[in-house]
Amino acid sequence: MLKALRRLVREALAEDIGQEDITTNRTVPCDARCEVRLMAKEAGVLSGIEVFRMVFECQRAAIKGWGALPDAQRFSKGDEIATFKGNTQAVLTAERTAMNLIQHLTGVATLTSKYVKAVEGLNVKICDTRKTMPMLRQLEKQAVVHGGGVNHRHSLFNGVVIKDNHIVAAGGIAKAVKRAYEGTHHLMKIEVEVTSLDEFNQALDAGADVIMLDNMTLDNMQAAAERVKGTKVVLEASGNMNLEHIRKVAETGVHVISVGALTHSAPVVDLSLLIKNVQ
């Protein structure tokens, strides 16, 4: 994981720098050092502080005196999130890459925390999806956890989720579930996506471990929840979830609510990086 993350950071830096940071290299002495402060311009939940630091390390900023809030920490407008001293050229060259990452990841954590807050007191989990930015999935899924949510499967290889096109290709829900069980080991659960109570009943009868209720009405979700009471079947609600109606969905009795917006639509949290020259 660490090696892959460093490779990602180096590629991101290379994308931004190109041949060189011509502005910084022509205006700032190569031996200059500065004190850096990362400040919050709005409230949020922190995520990505380690990768933020890694960007400057990969640019050889010679960091000294590092201090920072931990991931998952709530902060308010005006709070100091991190501070350190480093080579000024390296800091300025790496600034945008570092800020892009931490502002985005903090945005994911902050949005997740709002969804978690919206269902507070109910026995339901807020979950992410695979609707992540290419190459940033691990970081984004960590950000969801920092915001109080939980992770769905990470990749296609570590979970069976039979969706509508799989059902069509397999020739129906029963056939798809049967083939999935025959082709996997006894420790792997099988999830089926359904859009109606009829499909729900088919998935239940086929022995699905998890049933995803996709864009179903509140009444149908509640009926499905009543049907699985006393069983080990897990119900996941999904499809166009938003903060306005997430609590009503949670009140139907589903166990998990997956929200693609946590990663694909999270607004960045506004942070500011300030420097001061030092000897």
Short mmCIF file of all heavy atoms in Angstrom, two decimals, residues 164-200:
data_model
loop_
_atom_site.label_atom_id
_atom_site.label_comp_id
_atom_site.label_asym_id
_atom_site.label_seq_id
_atom_site.Cartn_x
_atom_site.Cartn_y
_atom_site.Cartn_z
N ASP A 164 -28.04 -5.91 -12.46
CA ASP A 164 -29.05 -6.15 -13.49
C ASP A 164 -28.49 -6.80 -14.75
O ASP A 164 -29.06 -7.75 -15.29
CB ASP A 164 -29.80 -4.86 -13.83
CG ASP A 164 -28.88 -3.70 -14.19
OD1 ASP A 164 -27.64 -3.86 -14.10
OD2 ASP A 164 -29.39 -2.63 -14.57
N ASN A 165 -27.35 -6.31 -15.22
CA ASN A 165 -26.78 -6.88 -16.44
C ASN A 165 -26.25 -8.29 -16.24
O ASN A 165 -26.28 -9.12 -17.16
CB ASN A 165 -25.67 -5.96 -16.98
CG ASN A 165 -26.24 -4.71 -17.63
OD1 ASN A 165 -27.36 -4.71 -18.13
ND2 ASN A 165 -25.48 -3.64 -17.61
N HIS A 166 -25.76 -8.58 -15.03
CA HIS A 166 -25.35 -9.95 -14.72
C HIS A 166 -26.56 -10.89 -14.77
O HIS A 166 -26.47 -12.02 -15.27
CB HIS A 166 -24.70 -10.04 -13.33
CG HIS A 166 -23.45 -9.24 -13.18
ND1 HIS A 166 -23.39 -8.10 -12.42
CD2 HIS A 166 -22.21 -9.40 -13.70
CE1 HIS A 166 -22.17 -7.61 -12.45
NE2 HIS A 166 -21.43 -8.37 -13.24
N ILE A 167 -27.68 -10.40 -14.23
CA ILE A 167 -28.90 -11.21 -14.20
C ILE A 167 -29.37 -11.53 -15.62
O ILE A 167 -29.74 -12.66 -15.93
CB ILE A 167 -30.00 -10.49 -13.40
CG1 ILE A 167 -29.60 -10.42 -11.91
CG2 ILE A 167 -31.35 -11.19 -13.55
CD1 ILE A 167 -30.47 -9.50 -11.08
N VAL A 168 -29.34 -10.52 -16.47
CA VAL A 168 -29.73 -10.73 -17.87
C VAL A 168 -28.80 -11.74 -18.53
O VAL A 168 -29.23 -12.68 -19.20
CB VAL A 168 -29.71 -9.39 -18.65
CG1 VAL A 168 -29.90 -9.64 -20.14
CG2 VAL A 168 -30.81 -8.46 -18.13
N ALA A 169 -27.48 -11.55 -18.35
CA ALA A 169 -26.50 -12.42 -18.99
C ALA A 169 -26.57 -13.86 -18.48
O ALA A 169 -26.30 -14.81 -19.22
CB ALA A 169 -25.10 -11.86 -18.78
N ALA A 170 -26.94 -14.01 -17.20
CA ALA A 170 -26.99 -15.35 -16.61
C ALA A 170 -28.30 -16.07 -16.88
O ALA A 170 -28.40 -17.29 -16.70
CB ALA A 170 -26.76 -15.26 -15.11
N GLY A 171 -29.33 -15.31 -17.28
CA GLY A 171 -30.62 -15.93 -17.54
C GLY A 171 -31.57 -15.91 -16.37
O GLY A 171 -32.49 -16.74 -16.30
N GLY A 172 -31.37 -14.98 -15.44
CA GLY A 172 -32.28 -14.84 -14.32
C GLY A 172 -31.56 -14.85 -12.98
O GLY A 172 -30.39 -15.24 -12.88
N ILE A 173 -32.27 -14.40 -11.95
CA ILE A 173 -31.69 -14.28 -10.62
C ILE A 173 -31.28 -15.64 -10.06
O ILE A 173 -30.17 -15.81 -9.54
CB ILE A 173 -32.68 -13.57 -9.66
CG1 ILE A 173 -32.81 -12.08 -10.04
CG2 ILE A 173 -32.22 -13.71 -8.21
CD1 ILE A 173 -33.85 -11.33 -9.26
N ALA A 174 -32.17 -16.61 -10.15
CA ALA A 174 -31.88 -17.94 -9.57
C ALA A 174 -30.63 -18.56 -10.20
O ALA A 174 -29.77 -19.11 -9.50
CB ALA A 174 -33.09 -18.85 -9.75
N LYS A 175 -30.52 -18.49 -11.51
CA LYS A 175 -29.36 -19.05 -12.20
C LYS A 175 -28.08 -18.31 -11.82
O LYS A 175 -27.03 -18.93 -11.63
CB LYS A 175 -29.57 -19.01 -13.71
CG LYS A 175 -30.60 -20.01 -14.24
CD LYS A 175 -30.68 -19.94 -15.74
CE LYS A 175 -31.70 -20.95 -16.29
NZ LYS A 175 -31.79 -20.90 -17.77
N ALA A 176 -28.18 -16.99 -11.73
CA ALA A 176 -27.00 -16.19 -11.40
C ALA A 176 -26.50 -16.53 -10.00
O ALA A 176 -25.29 -16.71 -9.79
CB ALA A 176 -27.32 -14.71 -11.50
N VAL A 177 -27.42 -16.62 -9.03
CA VAL A 177 -27.02 -16.94 -7.66
C VAL A 177 -26.45 -18.35 -7.59
O VAL A 177 -25.42 -18.59 -6.93
CB VAL A 177 -28.23 -16.79 -6.71
CG1 VAL A 177 -27.86 -17.30 -5.31
CG2 VAL A 177 -28.67 -15.33 -6.64
N LYS A 178 -27.07 -19.31 -8.26
CA LYS A 178 -26.59 -20.69 -8.25
C LYS A 178 -25.18 -20.77 -8.79
O LYS A 178 -24.31 -21.43 -8.20
CB LYS A 178 -27.53 -21.57 -9.07
CG LYS A 178 -27.18 -23.06 -9.09
CD LYS A 178 -28.26 -23.85 -9.83
CE LYS A 178 -27.96 -25.35 -9.78
NZ LYS A 178 -26.75 -25.70 -10.52
N ARG A 179 -24.92 -20.11 -9.91
CA ARG A 179 -23.59 -20.15 -10.50
C ARG A 179 -22.57 -19.46 -9.60
O ARG A 179 -21.42 -19.89 -9.50
CB ARG A 179 -23.62 -19.48 -11.87
CG ARG A 179 -24.33 -20.31 -12.93
CD ARG A 179 -24.45 -19.56 -14.24
NE ARG A 179 -25.09 -20.38 -15.26
CZ ARG A 179 -25.48 -19.93 -16.45
NH1 ARG A 179 -25.30 -18.64 -16.76
NH2 ARG A 179 -26.06 -20.73 -17.32
N ALA A 180 -22.99 -18.37 -8.95
CA ALA A 180 -22.07 -17.67 -8.05
C ALA A 180 -21.67 -18.56 -6.88
O ALA A 180 -20.48 -18.62 -6.51
CB ALA A 180 -22.73 -16.39 -7.54
N TYR A 181 -22.62 -19.25 -6.30
CA TYR A 181 -22.29 -20.15 -5.19
C TYR A 181 -21.40 -21.30 -5.63
O TYR A 181 -20.48 -21.71 -4.92
CB TYR A 181 -23.58 -20.69 -4.56
CG TYR A 181 -24.15 -19.79 -3.49
CD1 TYR A 181 -25.43 -19.26 -3.62
CD2 TYR A 181 -23.40 -19.46 -2.36
CE1 TYR A 181 -25.95 -18.42 -2.65
CE2 TYR A 181 -23.92 -18.62 -1.38
CZ TYR A 181 -25.18 -18.11 -1.52
OH TYR A 181 -25.70 -17.27 -0.56
N GLU A 182 -21.66 -21.81 -6.82
CA GLU A 182 -20.86 -22.93 -7.32
C GLU A 182 -19.43 -22.51 -7.66
O GLU A 182 -18.52 -23.34 -7.64
CB GLU A 182 -21.53 -23.54 -8.56
CG GLU A 182 -22.83 -24.28 -8.25
CD GLU A 182 -23.56 -24.73 -9.51
OE1 GLU A 182 -23.18 -24.23 -10.61
OE2 GLU A 182 -24.49 -25.52 -9.40
N GLY A 183 -19.25 -21.23 -7.96
CA GLY A 183 -17.93 -20.76 -8.39
C GLY A 183 -17.13 -20.04 -7.34
O GLY A 183 -16.05 -19.51 -7.63
N THR A 184 -17.64 -20.00 -6.09
CA THR A 184 -16.91 -19.32 -5.02
C THR A 184 -16.79 -20.24 -3.81
O THR A 184 -17.41 -21.29 -3.75
CB THR A 184 -17.62 -18.02 -4.60
OG1 THR A 184 -18.98 -18.31 -4.22
CG2 THR A 184 -17.64 -17.02 -5.74
N HIS A 185 -16.01 -19.80 -2.82
CA HIS A 185 -15.84 -20.62 -1.62
C HIS A 185 -16.91 -20.29 -0.58
O HIS A 185 -17.63 -19.29 -0.70
CB HIS A 185 -14.43 -20.44 -1.04
CG HIS A 185 -14.06 -19.02 -0.74
ND1 HIS A 185 -14.58 -18.32 0.32
CD2 HIS A 185 -13.22 -18.16 -1.38
CE1 HIS A 185 -14.07 -17.11 0.35
NE2 HIS A 185 -13.24 -16.97 -0.69
N HIS A 186 -16.97 -21.09 0.46
CA HIS A 186 -18.06 -20.99 1.43
C HIS A 186 -17.99 -19.76 2.33
O HIS A 186 -18.95 -19.44 3.03
CB HIS A 186 -18.09 -22.25 2.31
CG HIS A 186 -16.92 -22.36 3.23
ND1 HIS A 186 -15.66 -22.72 2.79
CD2 HIS A 186 -16.80 -22.17 4.57
CE1 HIS A 186 -14.83 -22.74 3.81
NE2 HIS A 186 -15.50 -22.42 4.91
N LEU A 187 -16.88 -19.04 2.31
CA LEU A 187 -16.74 -17.84 3.13
C LEU A 187 -17.20 -16.57 2.41
O LEU A 187 -17.29 -15.51 3.04
CB LEU A 187 -15.28 -17.68 3.58
CG LEU A 187 -14.72 -18.79 4.47
CD1 LEU A 187 -13.27 -18.48 4.81
CD2 LEU A 187 -15.55 -18.94 5.74
N MET A 188 -17.46 -16.66 1.14
CA MET A 188 -17.83 -15.46 0.36
C MET A 188 -19.34 -15.31 0.28
O MET A 188 -20.06 -16.23 -0.08
CB MET A 188 -17.24 -15.53 -1.04
CG MET A 188 -17.46 -14.26 -1.86
SD MET A 188 -16.46 -14.19 -3.36
CE MET A 188 -14.83 -13.87 -2.68
N LYS A 189 -19.81 -14.12 0.62
CA LYS A 189 -21.24 -13.83 0.56
C LYS A 189 -21.64 -13.42 -0.86
O LYS A 189 -20.82 -12.92 -1.64
CB LYS A 189 -21.62 -12.74 1.55
CG LYS A 189 -21.48 -13.18 3.01
CD LYS A 189 -21.97 -12.11 3.95
CE LYS A 189 -21.89 -12.58 5.39
NZ LYS A 189 -22.39 -11.56 6.34
N ILE A 190 -22.92 -13.63 -1.17
CA ILE A 190 -23.45 -13.30 -2.48
C ILE A 190 -24.49 -12.19 -2.33
O ILE A 190 -25.46 -12.33 -1.58
CB ILE A 190 -24.13 -14.53 -3.14
CG1 ILE A 190 -23.17 -15.74 -3.15
CG2 ILE A 190 -24.61 -14.19 -4.54
CD1 ILE A 190 -21.91 -15.54 -3.94
N GLU A 191 -24.29 -11.09 -3.05
CA GLU A 191 -25.25 -9.99 -3.03
C GLU A 191 -25.95 -9.90 -4.38
O GLU A 191 -25.33 -10.10 -5.43
CB GLU A 191 -24.57 -8.65 -2.73
CG GLU A 191 -25.54 -7.47 -2.73
CD GLU A 191 -24.94 -6.17 -2.24
OE1 GLU A 191 -23.69 -6.06 -2.16
OE2 GLU A 191 -25.72 -5.25 -1.92
N VAL A 192 -27.24 -9.60 -4.35
CA VAL A 192 -28.04 -9.45 -5.57
C VAL A 192 -28.74 -8.10 -5.55
O VAL A 192 -29.35 -7.72 -4.54
CB VAL A 192 -29.09 -10.57 -5.70
CG1 VAL A 192 -29.90 -10.38 -6.99
CG2 VAL A 192 -28.43 -11.93 -5.68
N GLU A 193 -28.65 -7.37 -6.65
CA GLU A 193 -29.35 -6.10 -6.80
C GLU A 193 -30.75 -6.36 -7.35
O GLU A 193 -30.91 -7.06 -8.35
CB GLU A 193 -28.58 -5.19 -7.76
CG GLU A 193 -29.27 -3.86 -8.03
CD GLU A 193 -28.56 -3.10 -9.14
OE1 GLU A 193 -28.64 -3.53 -10.30
OE2 GLU A 193 -27.94 -2.07 -8.83
N VAL A 194 -31.78 -5.79 -6.71
CA VAL A 194 -33.16 -5.94 -7.17
C VAL A 194 -33.83 -4.57 -7.23
O VAL A 194 -33.42 -3.63 -6.54
CB VAL A 194 -33.96 -6.88 -6.25
CG1 VAL A 194 -33.30 -8.25 -6.16
CG2 VAL A 194 -34.12 -6.29 -4.85
N THR A 195 -34.88 -4.48 -8.04
CA THR A 195 -35.58 -3.21 -8.21
C THR A 195 -37.07 -3.30 -7.89
O THR A 195 -37.78 -2.31 -8.01
CB THR A 195 -35.42 -2.70 -9.65
OG1 THR A 195 -35.93 -3.68 -10.57
CG2 THR A 195 -33.95 -2.43 -9.98
N SER A 196 -37.54 -4.48 -7.48
CA SER A 196 -38.95 -4.68 -7.16
C SER A 196 -39.09 -5.76 -6.10
O SER A 196 -38.15 -6.53 -5.85
CB SER A 196 -39.73 -5.09 -8.41
OG SER A 196 -39.35 -6.38 -8.84
N LEU A 197 -40.27 -5.84 -5.49
CA LEU A 197 -40.50 -6.88 -4.49
C LEU A 197 -40.49 -8.26 -5.12
O LEU A 197 -40.09 -9.24 -4.47
CB LEU A 197 -41.81 -6.62 -3.76
CG LEU A 197 -41.79 -5.49 -2.72
CD1 LEU A 197 -43.16 -5.31 -2.09
CD2 LEU A 197 -40.73 -5.75 -1.65
N ASP A 198 -40.93 -8.36 -6.37
CA ASP A 198 -40.89 -9.65 -7.05
C ASP A 198 -39.44 -10.13 -7.19
O ASP A 198 -39.13 -11.29 -6.89
CB ASP A 198 -41.55 -9.54 -8.43
CG ASP A 198 -41.46 -10.84 -9.20
OD1 ASP A 198 -41.98 -11.86 -8.71
OD2 ASP A 198 -40.85 -10.85 -10.29
N GLU A 199 -38.55 -9.24 -7.63
CA GLU A 199 -37.14 -9.61 -7.74
C GLU A 199 -36.54 -9.88 -6.37
O GLU A 199 -35.70 -10.78 -6.21
CB GLU A 199 -36.36 -8.50 -8.45
CG GLU A 199 -36.70 -8.34 -9.93
CD GLU A 199 -35.90 -7.23 -10.60
OE1 GLU A 199 -35.25 -6.44 -9.88
OE2 GLU A 199 -35.93 -7.16 -11.83
N PHE A 200 -36.97 -9.12 -5.38
CA PHE A 200 -36.50 -9.33 -4.02
C PHE A 200 -36.84 -10.75 -3.55
O PHE A 200 -35.99 -11.45 -2.99
CB PHE A 200 -37.14 -8.31 -3.07
CG PHE A 200 -37.02 -8.65 -1.62
CD1 PHE A 200 -35.84 -8.46 -0.93
CD2 PHE A 200 -38.11 -9.20 -0.94
CE1 PHE A 200 -35.72 -8.79 0.41
CE2 PHE A 200 -38.01 -9.54 0.40
CZ PHE A 200 -36.82 -9.34 1.08
#
